[in-house]
Amino acid sequence: MLLMKNLLRLTFFLFALSFSFAQQTQTSQTPTKQIVASRLEGPIRVDGVLDEGVWSQAPVANNFIERQPNKGQKEPQEHATSAKILYDDTGIYFGVQINHPNPKEISRELMERDQIGNDDFFAISLNGNNDHQQSLLFIIQASGVQADAKLLINKSDDYSWNAVWYSAIKINDQGWSLEVKIPFSELRFPKDQVQTWGLNFITNLQKKQTQYTWNPIDNTKGSFMLYDGILTGIENISPPTRLSFSPYFSTYFNKYNHSSDLNVNGGMDLKYGLNEAFTLDLTLIPDFGQANFDEAVLNLGPFEQQYDENRSFFMEGTELFGKGDLFYSRRVGGEPSGSLDLQPGEESTGTPEKVNLFNAIKLSGRTKKGLGIGLFNGVTEKLTTKAVNKTTGTSRDVVLEPWSNYNVLVLDQRFGGNSSITLVNTNVTREGHFRDANVTALLADLTNKENTHNLFGSLKQSIVNSNTYLYGTEATLGAGKIAGAHRYSFDALVRTKDYSIDDLGYTGGNNYVNYHGYYSYRYLKPRGKLNNLNYQLNVNLSSRLEPYQYRGFDIHQTFSVTNKKFETMGLGLLLTPFGEKDMYEPRTFARHLNVPSMVNPWIFYESDSRKKLSYDGYTEIYAFNQPGRIRYVTEFDLRYRVSDRFSIEYDFQTDIRLRDLGYVAKDQGEIIIGRRDVHSFENAIESQYIFNDKMALNLAFRHYLSTVKYDGFHALNTSGDLNPSGFQGNHDGSYNFWNLDLRFSWWFAPGSQLTLLYRNAADSQQAAAVNSLKDNLRHVFDQPMLNTLSLKITYYLDYNAAKQFVKKATGGTRRKLSLANPPQAKSF
């Protein structure tokens, strides 16, 4: 009751603060730039050379303004950019000249698609609805490599989104030029006779670490999309049918423990534009066998390890589904939810680790009035194993996961260019008596007109049906100043003990309330010898809800600077002056482990990434107010660019915990806590050789080693302290994970890819803490190793291109530049 009263008081305070937003003085705005696109009547060759006469007649977008580091400065003439825009019935064209006083010094590192290298680049931001909310970004690097993304508000841009478009660059005496064609089928715009689009251009000068934009950007507040210029002149076009197919063929040769097998698979991805706003994505018989390997570690904590999503279908176009952090896509086709219950005298023939995904669909888009709709549905297959009676030899099927249906629904209404209200629902329904779950959330993110203050909050409820119903709630409320040199925020979060989103999300901890305060100071433009300076202060006060108990208080400060040599360095200090009552480590409700006060200083350094040899690293120490208890964490990353085609990167990480305390087991009603030394080391190498802008060879290697050695066991008492225990047993161990991928990739046609992959993987576990690297590697190589050679071919088929091809084949009108086979188009 006291908690609810405090939350209500905080709510009234925050809403009172939000009303004060109206008192803010509106800042002056630079007049928005506009440009008119010219109609293209004849064919154009996308080769990077602006030699067609129509380019000379088109209006020019020029007089770019510096975005960073010196906001508001005019671009120098020696680096001036001029851009022109044409369009026809099939797409929009851009012709650009970027000046450079010495064209041989233009940065041109070859990378794979969607990777931004040590490159000068030109970027186009397009918004067909001109609503400052859903822009698409197209990047052309001076090496010719493409990248594209969806721009997001208050989040990192989504580079997993991929379009099929055409570009080419040419180095000339003035600098470099480029031509681009973006088919209308890749864009979203209304069915209006006269179009008005949002537009901006970015020029990046890598060696100067300087960016210029056509329409000025105020970096001190608001999102990039709020500062779009205006594109007019596009008339009498219709959004084309957006329908494409990507059938695939794959084959795998696997060898493991003296046995081998050969698999052949086939399936298809389909994209269909239901209208000008919404797209349906469907995957039939998906194949994720070539996804990047998971970076597994030894996990001694109370929560499961979270892995990155590496499956393409779940990475592309999923920005709406991330609202509210309720969708952890690894749940779909992940580990089975059931357990293997063996009867006396039975043994298992094996427990499969993954559930097969049968099919999945996504529907997503946003109307011109700002309503975003996202719908996801996935179906996974039934997973069984055999339980065999060791005496009689009879067997029975044990269901580990039934047929299951996963759903996500998102309704996201954006308004004012910078605010939104969102409804999210996730649902998991499993066949039979297995666990079902449902989560509903209401989210609000409100920013005032001047983009200086923000009010945010959420209310989430989870319902889990596992023989009985469990209801849980999470609520957040916060407000802050989000513009200027000085920024701050305050927020509160409460989670009840039965709150769980683990069926389709990731919960982590629950049963707590946390109050958080934030303050930061930053340079808004370079000063003296520094390009940037940033200071941050975070303060947290946390308590357990049931039964109510103080949990912890921490103060975290960080300070970083970037100098004129583009070296970044910083330090920080985390303090827990009163210690912590760890409510999760005992793995038992209403119990806690007392953790002493702690001081955690850290430092980091990043060298100039423009140089051939660059490196960065950090080190931190956790010093506990307990004899001998300390933790050292270090990471060092070394990158060497041998040439503009070949690069190699080495990463080393270590985590050493001395006299650490952690959960071991439950024994005769007691919670056993062990005192242990944990040594973890990771070595990783990544290298790539880029043959051209369509073909690459990549190597990824990782070896992870962790050893655990216990020197005593204790019983946890009800006050959170430790008592002597007679518990015995060997819980020492050494754990190794070895992964090596060698991948050849070739984009042999627009949207079409061939991938040849060799994979070598192994893991090992020993019941002793073996610290010798040599002995650990010997043990890994003594284990059965998985060797896989796989080939996957995906071919992109576009409905509009096929239609034009049929017209030509049957004597129809002359075919213009096609999506399936653009002559001389340099693209992916």
Side-chain angles (χ1 to χ4, degrees):
M1 195 68 182
L2 179 62
L3 171 66
M4 294 307 297
K5 287 182 178 179
N6 288 334
L7 282 175
L8 285 173
R9 290 170 183 166
L10 179 63
T11 300
F12 288 133
F13 167 75
L14 292 174
F15 274 106
L17 180 63
S18 71
F19 291 139
S20 71
F21 291 178
Q23 306 303 317
Q24 301 295 323
T25 303
Q26 185 171 359
T27 57
S28 60
Q29 295 270 333
T30 303
T32 301
K33 290 184 176 181
Q34 299 189 30
I35 189 171
V36 179
S38 299
R39 181 85 187 192
L40 176 64
E41 299 299 338
I44 193 169
R45 184 178 181 182
V46 181
D47 58 4
V49 182
L50 310 181
D51 54 358
E52 290 87 358
V54 66
W55 286 122
S56 63
Q57 303 170 18
V60 181
N62 53 16
N63 298 321
F64 282 43
I65 302 297
E66 188 169 337
R67 178 191 182 193
Q68 60 185 30
N70 295 295
K71 178 178 69 73
Q73 301 293 318
K74 293 183 179 180
E75 66 176 354
Q77 187 58 37
E78 62 181 5
H79 290 293
T81 300
S82 59
K84 301 179 179 182
I85 307 173
L86 308 171
Y87 75 97
D88 60 17
D89 291 332
T90 64
I92 184 169
Y93 300 79
F94 298 87
V96 184
Q97 173 64 44
I98 304 168
N99 289 346
H100 196 289
N102 189 347
K104 292 182 179 180
E105 294 184 358
I106 296 173
S107 298
R108 303 182 64 205
E109 182 184 10
L110 276 166
M111 303 292 289
E112 285 199 272
R113 194 187 201 281
D114 283 337
Q115 294 180 350
I116 308 298
N118 186 56
D119 280 77
D120 288 6
F121 67 73
F122 182 81
I124 303 162
S125 172
L126 278 176
N127 186 328
N129 288 298
N130 192 30
D131 59 4
H132 305 287
Q133 297 174 12
Q134 44 186 329
S135 294
L136 302 176
L137 186 69
F138 302 86
I139 300 174
I140 309 92
Q141 300 178 70
S143 60
V145 176
Q146 294 180 346
D148 43 30
K150 287 185 178 180
L151 298 185
L152 305 180
I153 297 176
N154 299 329
K155 283 191 176 183
S156 298
D157 299 330
D158 180 15
Y159 279 87
S160 66
W161 176 77
N162 288 308
V164 177
W165 48 290
Y166 312 104
S167 64
I169 68 99
K170 184 71 174 180
I171 303 296
N172 54 42
D173 293 339
Q174 290 76 42
W176 63 292
S177 60
L178 60 100
E179 286 181 309
V180 174
K181 178 186 179 180
I182 304 173
F184 287 139
S185 59
E186 302 300 321
L187 305 174
R188 310 292 178 265
F189 52 89
K191 292 182 178 180
D192 296 338
Q193 185 175 0
V194 178
Q195 301 285 327
T196 301
W197 294 2
L199 169 72
N200 214 340
F201 298 124
I202 307 170
T203 299
N204 180 74
L205 301 179
Q206 182 66 8
K207 288 186 177 179
K208 292 181 175 290
Q209 291 285 280
T210 303
Q211 285 190 2
Y212 302 93
T213 62
W214 172 57
N215 204 57
I217 303 293
D218 186 351
N219 293 327
T220 65
K221 61 182 181 179
S223 74
F224 177 89
M225 290 180 282
L226 288 176
Y227 301 96
D228 281 348
I230 301 296
L231 171 63
T232 61
I234 300 177
E235 301 178 356
N236 301 316
I237 63 169
S238 298
T241 301
R242 294 188 289 112
L243 175 62
S244 64
F245 307 88
S246 296
Y248 81 85
F249 161 83
S250 65
T251 180
Y252 294 82
F253 176 74
N254 302 300
K255 186 176 181 181
Y256 179 76
N257 199 20
H258 306 296
S259 64
S260 60
D261 62 82
L262 179 67
N263 299 317
V264 178
N265 307 308
M268 182 173 66
D269 291 347
L270 177 148
K271 286 182 180 288
Y272 177 59
L274 301 178
N275 55 29
E276 67 271 19
F278 295 98
T279 302
L280 176 70
D281 291 86
L282 171 66
T283 182
L284 299 171
I285 318 177
D287 174 21
F288 302 124
Q290 291 191 336
N292 294 337
F293 56 76
D294 291 327
E295 296 187 356
V297 300
L298 172 63
N299 182 9
L300 298 174
F303 306 118
E304 64 179 306
Q305 182 184 356
Q306 258 190 302
Y307 291 108
D308 293 335
E309 180 58 83
N310 293 316
R311 300 170 295 177
S312 58
F313 180 82
F314 292 95
M315 295 169 62
E316 297 174 2
T318 57
E319 71 281 355
L320 274 175
F321 302 107
K323 294 283 184 176
D325 296 322
L326 297 177
F327 183 38
Y328 176 40
S329 58
R330 292 295 296 259
R331 299 290 185 210
V332 186
E335 296 179 356
S337 61
S339 58
L340 180 59
D341 295 324
L342 295 176
Q343 298 175 359
E346 287 185 332
E347 62 181 2
S348 169
T349 58
T351 304
E353 295 182 354
K354 300 293 182 183
V355 179
N356 289 329
L357 177 64
F358 181 68
N359 61 41
I361 63 170
K362 293 179 298 189
L363 186 152
S364 61
R366 191 178 295 274
T367 69
K368 62 181 179 180
K369 293 186 177 180
L371 176 61
I373 301 176
L375 176 64
F376 168 84
N377 175 263
V379 177
T380 58
E381 297 178 353
K382 183 177 182 179
L383 180 66
T384 63
T385 189
K386 293 283 186 182
V388 180
N389 188 292
K390 292 184 286 186
T391 303
T392 65
T394 58
S395 64
R396 62 185 178 91
D397 288 335
V398 179
V399 178
L400 299 177
E401 181 78 9
W403 281 93
S404 303
N405 192 287
Y406 298 81
N407 295 281
V408 182
L409 172 65
V410 182
L411 302 175
D412 178 59
Q413 179 63 61
R414 301 207 67 88
F415 54 92
N418 52 15
S419 300
S420 67
I421 295 179
T422 308
L423 177 69
V424 184
N425 177 263
T426 68
N427 180 275
V428 180
T429 302
R430 297 183 174 94
E431 186 180 40
H433 64 278
F434 281 75
R435 163 179 167 139
D436 299 329
N438 189 85
V439 181
T440 302
L442 181 65
L443 320 170
D445 186 2
L446 310 175
T447 302
N448 65 341
K449 185 176 181 180
E450 293 77 22
N451 293 292
T452 57
H453 290 77
N454 175 258
L455 176 69
F456 58 92
S458 66
L459 180 63
K460 307 174 186 178
Q461 176 152 41
S462 66
I463 305 173
V464 176
N465 178 14
S466 182
N467 298 323
T468 60
Y469 283 93
L470 295 175
Y471 298 87
T473 301
E474 179 193 281
T476 61
L477 190 63
K481 180 175 179 288
I482 58 174
H486 298 271
R487 306 186 188 190
Y488 55 83
S489 66
F490 308 93
D491 61 86
L493 182 151
V494 58
R495 278 186 180 178
T496 62
K497 67 181 180 65
D498 292 325
Y499 178 76
S500 174
I501 61 172
D502 282 335
D503 291 84
L504 198 47
Y506 182 88
T507 306
N510 55 14
N511 192 28
Y512 70 92
V513 59
N514 188 79
Y515 302 96
H516 170 243
Y518 164 82
Y519 167 78
S520 72
Y521 172 76
R522 68 199 66 196
Y523 282 177
L524 300 179
K525 59 175 58 179
R527 293 187 191 177
K529 297 181 179 180
L530 299 179
N531 280 332
N532 189 31
L533 178 147
N534 190 291
Y535 168 78
Q536 294 187 20
L537 170 67
N538 286 276
V539 180
N540 288 282
L541 173 64
S542 182
S543 300
R544 185 176 66 191
L545 282 180
E546 296 185 41
Y548 187 82
Q549 182 185 58
Y550 164 82
R551 180 185 173 198
F553 173 77
D554 67 70
I555 304 172
H556 192 190
Q557 301 181 80
T558 64
F559 177 81
S560 64
V561 296
T562 302
N563 61 24
K564 293 295 185 180
K565 296 180 179 179
F566 298 99
E567 299 169 312
T568 301
M569 57 207 76
L571 50 85
L573 181 64
L574 171 64
L575 302 173
T576 57
F578 311 116
E580 177 189 358
K581 297 185 182 298
D582 189 337
M583 52 189 273
Y584 302 118
E585 190 61 33
R587 273 76 155 178
T588 303
F589 177 70
R591 300 293 296 275
H592 71 275
L593 172 66
N594 290 330
V595 179
S597 59
M598 181 268 297
V599 177
N600 168 216
W602 54 268
I603 59 173
F604 79 94
Y605 172 81
E606 297 177 6
S607 70
D608 183 356
S609 61
R610 300 171 301 171
K611 295 183 177 180
K612 281 183 171 292
L613 178 65
S614 61
Y615 48 91
D616 59 72
Y618 80 91
T619 186
E620 58 181 326
I621 300 174
Y622 297 78
F624 294 86
N625 186 21
Q626 195 172 73
R629 186 172 180 182
I630 196 166
R631 180 184 178 189
Y632 304 97
V633 179
T634 301
E635 180 174 1
F636 179 73
D637 189 76
L638 180 68
R639 298 175 299 277
Y640 184 64
R641 193 170 64 254
V642 181
S643 68
D644 284 339
R645 297 178 182 272
F646 179 41
S647 63
I648 187 168
E649 180 175 350
Y650 169 69
D651 181 72
F652 172 76
Q653 299 181 42
T654 180
D655 187 347
I656 298 174
R657 307 183 188 198
L658 302 179
R659 298 187 63 78
D660 183 44
L661 290 173
Y663 174 87
V664 177
K666 290 184 179 179
D667 181 60
Q668 299 180 2
E670 291 186 324
I671 300 171
I672 305 301
I673 301 296
R675 191 173 298 280
R676 62 203 180 192
D677 291 346
V678 183
H679 295 76
S680 300
F681 304 92
E682 179 177 324
N683 287 276
I685 296 175
E686 292 189 13
S687 181
Q688 62 180 9
Y689 184 85
I690 311 297
F691 298 94
N692 52 45
D693 59 357
K694 299 179 181 63
M695 195 179 298
L697 181 66
N698 287 272
L699 170 70
F701 161 77
R702 176 180 182 262
H703 174 237
Y704 172 88
L705 162 65
S706 188
T707 65
V708 184
K709 185 172 182 59
Y710 287 86
D711 65 359
F713 301 99
H714 310 271
L716 180 69
N717 63 32
T718 54
S719 65
D721 295 322
L722 302 179
N723 293 335
S725 171
F727 178 83
Q728 293 182 350
N730 178 26
H731 289 267
D732 296 349
S734 299
Y735 305 84
N736 287 268
F737 300 98
W738 169 282
N739 298 92
L740 185 147
D741 279 7
L742 183 62
R743 184 188 306 265
F744 172 77
S745 178
W746 175 30
W747 293 87
F748 59 89
S752 303
Q753 186 179 24
L754 178 151
T755 304
L756 181 65
L757 171 68
Y758 169 71
R759 172 164 291 167
N760 174 255
D763 58 77
S764 72
Q765 178 177 342
Q766 302 180 71
V770 179
N771 292 319
S772 167
L773 176 61
K774 180 179 178 181
D775 291 342
N776 275 278
L777 289 176
R778 182 184 296 115
H779 193 263
V780 170
F781 295 140
D782 286 341
Q783 307 306 308
M785 283 195 138
L786 172 66
N787 290 276
T788 300
L789 183 64
S790 62
L791 173 68
K792 184 176 181 179
I793 301 174
T794 303
Y795 192 77
Y796 175 82
L797 297 170
D798 179 75
Y799 167 80
N800 298 292
K803 186 177 179 180
Q804 291 182 5
F805 179 81
V806 171
K807 274 187 178 182
K808 180 181 178 181
T810 57
T813 57
R814 181 179 181 271
R815 184 169 62 97
K816 296 184 179 180
L817 182 62
S818 154
L819 294 183
N821 185 26
Q824 289 84 38
K826 297 183 179 179
S827 67
F828 286 83

